[in-house]
Amino acid sequence: QLQLVESGGGLVQPGGSLTLSCAASGITLEYYATSWFRQAPGKGREGVSCISDNGSTLYTNSVKGRFTISRDNAKNTVYLHMNSLKPEDTANYSCAAGGPCGPRGIYDVWGQGTQVTVST
């Protein structure tokens, strides 16, 4: 069974950090691109970051320099390390596998999402 499971979300103060995890089963992430998406209430889904099968990475402009995507092939898990969090980062974050990275990516396997709330 193909499955992605996100974890690591929560409530954090502005300026704080969180690391999200996307653990896969039934699919080997190193052979695919894996992207993180987010959706805030009342807004459309936004691509946040992507790591390709060869390890190259992409970030949306609003998170460049603050977020880092990485992959642990041994654990079949992709991470999103988020630093200097802002209230506008508040959203439900989901990971998805497919590819390629970029606007033409097609993602067939999705996780259920994890909530990130940045607030005092």
Side-chain angles (χ1 to χ4, degrees), residues 21-81:
S21 299
C22 172
S25 58
I27 182 173
T28 303
L29 292 182
E30 68 177 295
Y31 299 145
Y32 298 90
T34 305
S35 283
W36 284 98
F37 296 86
R38 66 185 179 186
Q39 188 164 17
K43 295 187 177 182
R45 189 170 62 202
E46 175 190 26
V48 176
S49 183
C50 182
I51 184 166
S52 71
D53 55 347
N54 66 10
S56 60
T57 58
L58 288 177
Y59 300 92
T60 192
N61 285 339
S62 63
V63 308
K64 286 180 179 177
R66 299 189 299 122
F67 291 10
T68 302
I69 192 169
S70 65
R71 184 174 63 222
D72 186 329
N73 293 336
K75 294 183 178 180
N76 205 20
T77 300
V78 167
Y79 302 95
L80 186 66
H81 309 276

Side-chain angles (χ1 to χ4, degrees), residues 1 6 14 23 43 54 65 75 78 83 88 91 103 111 114 117-118 120:
Q1 181 181 0
E6 300 97 335
K43 295 187 177 182
N54 66 10
K75 294 183 178 180
V78 167
N83 297 318
E88 50 264 42
T114 186
T117 302
V118 185
T120 56

Side-chain angles (χ1 to χ4, degrees), residues 1-5 23-28 32 76 97 108-111:
Q1 181 181 0
L2 303 178
Q3 190 174 19
L4 299 178
V5 179
S25 58
I27 182 173
T28 303
Y32 298 90
N76 205 20
D108 297 320
V109 186
W110 290 81

Side-chain angles (χ1 to χ4, degrees), residues 83-98:
N83 297 318
S84 302
L85 282 162
K86 304 175 180 180
E88 50 264 42
D89 295 317
T90 294
N92 189 274
Y93 285 70
S94 298
C95 62

